[in-house]
Amino acid sequence: MIIAVALPIPSFDPFYYLVPSNLQKFAKIGSYALVPLRKNSTVGVITKIYKQLPSDFRQDKAKVKEIISIAKLSYQIDPDYLHFLSWIANYYLCSLGEVIHSAIPKSLMPDIADFITATSSLNQLNYEIPILLEKRKPNLLLASGDCLLFNNWDDLSTKELKSSLIQKLTKFKTSLTGDSFSINQLIDFKIGLISIKNALVRNYLSINIDKNRFIPQKYKFIKTDLVLTKDQTKICDEIFKYIDPNWEKPKLPILIHGVTGSGKTEIYIEATKKVLAQGKSALILLPEIALTPQTLNRFAQYFIGDIIVQHSKISPKQKEINWLITLKSTHSLIIGTRSAIFYPINNLGLVVVDEEHDPSFKQQERPFYHARDLAILLAKRGNALAILGSATPSIESFNNAKQNRYLLLTLKTRPTKVSLPQIELVKLKNTPRHSRLFYLAQVAVDKITETLQNNKQVLIFFNRRGYAPILSCTKCGETVCCNNCSVPLTWHLAAGKFICHHCDYHIKYISFCPHCRATSLKLIGIGTERIEVDLRDCFSNYRVLRMDSDAMAKHIVLSETLLAIKNQKYDIIIGTQMIAKGHDFPNVGLVVVPLADLDMNISDFRASERTFQLLNQVAGRAGRASGTKSVTLIQTYNPNHPAIKGALEQDFELFLAYEFQKRATLQEPPFVKLTIITINDLQEKRAHDTAIKLFNYLANKLKSSHIKLEEPVATAIYQKNNRFNLEIKIKTPPRYPVNDFLKKYLWQNKDRHIIGTSRLLIKIDP
């Protein structure tokens, strides 16, 4: 028997192994296998089973190795789920093993106990235990409850009782209060890995596996009707047609374009109630961890049962529990950030992507998937309904609605007695500034004072953390930059360090220029930390809070802070985009954006769109309580820019017309399919040489007049983590199978040696 195994390394080539006869009964698609790889061993997933080597096998058949073992778990990867992960790997051009490694909790990966249960000979145990103990972390205790037990201890012979290992274990045994224990307890008792290995091999210890203790609770929900507006009811009626079990036509994804505070969440709740009542599952995707407490609380008002929450701050143990509960449940409700898309959901009926425009749904490391697009795929595969919601839909989603690939539904107003905020523009050019708050116009400071005196909260949005982004020498003009990246270091006052936001390189405060040794150094620019210090000084009688990733590092701190804001424990809130998305702050009477142009001129074709979206989103945090009048002040140097004008007039159509025309002229998505190949290397010359070779190679293969290949250029951050980066852009017609082309010529072709030792990163739909 021969198997193909997906390994967690960046290779498109399948890895083939022989399966010895005593393990063949355990070999199934989706099972975990322990396999040799070069001089080490690693764990992979069986993806195919053959009676003989496939015809496309290109290696020396005599060098095909045998697997070490197969894990005998109480669960394995479902073939349909594996097919979903395979689609992701093929589309986003990464290995299936990498996708599996990202999708499944690490604590659920097989441990030594799982492989031992699949073996049948002492010789194999002697071979595999040392490998596993040496190559894996010294922890046999899985999060699901696996533990060690003493085995046949009363039957030890007189000879065995004299061994030093038995004497060590005897002392350890007398110190225990219970029967089971973990390997870490043994290590703490000064019993080493080799001794533990010998104890397992000689059957002094056994491993107790309990993978079935996660029995999902019966799901319940409260049948409480929400009070919906006429517009909300109309949209719900449309959604219910698609959810109806008797609906036989294809289910188009629904795009809800609703202004901020228009009640999209209430629609999600009603749709979820319908789906759960049918015994099906619902998945609610959010862009930010910061939104999970609020959304969970909203849903918990109408549902009782296991609402599963997933985001990066969830502990590994809790993630494993959530994953296993979902796997065993016939229906479930899951709320989470983009990684929740990988939960093994049974009987899916609904997928909701809230704030679907948000860039956080795009993974920024391999695999470079987009959770919104995977949500559409997941719904289609399960005959479920996908709902995308946003006050500022992405250009791509709105274009899909124009092309009748999505059904567009709109909410143009907030519920009764709740008005949209009044947006005012402050032209920074020639406008008087406050003497101490130089980045704020005097009119903005006056508005802040007035709002605070009226017992309303003020929200200041500035999308840069730290105290100052630049330290410059006034003598030679040089900027103090990161040693590893081609970016300036940011001064963080609380940490007392200059920090690189890309590689975490940091230095203490310096008093002289590293270039000319002069002492004439000056901090330039502002960040949220600087604004916090200044406002505490100018408004000393008011409570000031900073909300950014530095101040809100722990999820529990974030949850408590959001509740404190809602309960008016703070008067002035300063924050990055963390505060701009989806939050319900009913007492906010004023929102101030000190510099709306901040991200508008970066080298990203979506820069204008991102600016428009952020301005609309942050403005929407104001005036969300009934009868509350609110103002948003936008300070800018570019008052005539369409993104600024569109935000000022809260006119999505105005901005959309401009953006569509610009992208059509420049041939940017959605009018083309964009693929970016990044080449990076530790040596600058080698990075350039490889990029040029690769460009010439692809240009020779890509001879279609419909395909545009752009010459390599430096990325926005040319040097990052000591590696020099260049990129090649490929623009093709929207439906062109560029994935198949790149897979064929970059990974499955003898000419791929042109890459040499350089690294490639391929981003589909960046």
Side-chain angles (χ1 to χ4, degrees), residues 80-81 84 242-243 245 251 271-272 274-276 278-285 326 329-335 340-353 371 374-387:
D80 188 59
Y81 180 71
F84 172 61
Y242 283 80
I243 294 176
K251 295 180 180 179
T272 302
K274 282 282 185 182
V275 165
L276 292 174
Q278 296 170 10
K280 295 182 179 180
S281 299
L283 171 63
I284 315 296
L285 291 178
T326 307
S329 297
T330 55
H331 63 295
S332 50
L333 170 57
I334 300 163
I335 298 173
I341 196 73
F342 291 122
Y343 268 54
I345 304 170
N346 295 309
N347 204 16
L348 184 66
L350 176 70
V351 185
V352 173
V353 185
L374 292 186
I376 300 293
L377 173 68
L378 198 63
K380 185 177 180 181
R381 287 172 58 87
N383 194 31
L385 177 64
I387 299 177

Side-chain angles (χ1 to χ4, degrees), residues 438-439 462 464-470 490-494 497 501 509 523-534 546 548 550:
F438 64 91
Y439 41 83
F462 196 78
R464 289 288 186 277
R465 60 191 176 96
Y467 187 88
I470 293 172
T490 299
W491 173 241
H492 286 254
L493 182 66
K497 298 174 183 177
H501 289 174
Y509 195 90
L523 289 170
I524 299 174
I526 60 170
T528 50
E529 206 175 15
R530 169 68 184 271
I531 298 173
E532 177 192 20
V533 171
D534 290 348
R546 172 167 54 91
D548 55 28
D550 295 325

Side-chain angles (χ1 to χ4, degrees), residues 115 134 220 299 334 462 569 612 643 719 741:
F115 286 108
E134 288 167 13
K220 301 176 182 178
F299 273 78
I334 300 163
F462 196 78
K569 302 290 186 182
F612 173 78
Q719 185 182 8
F741 168 83

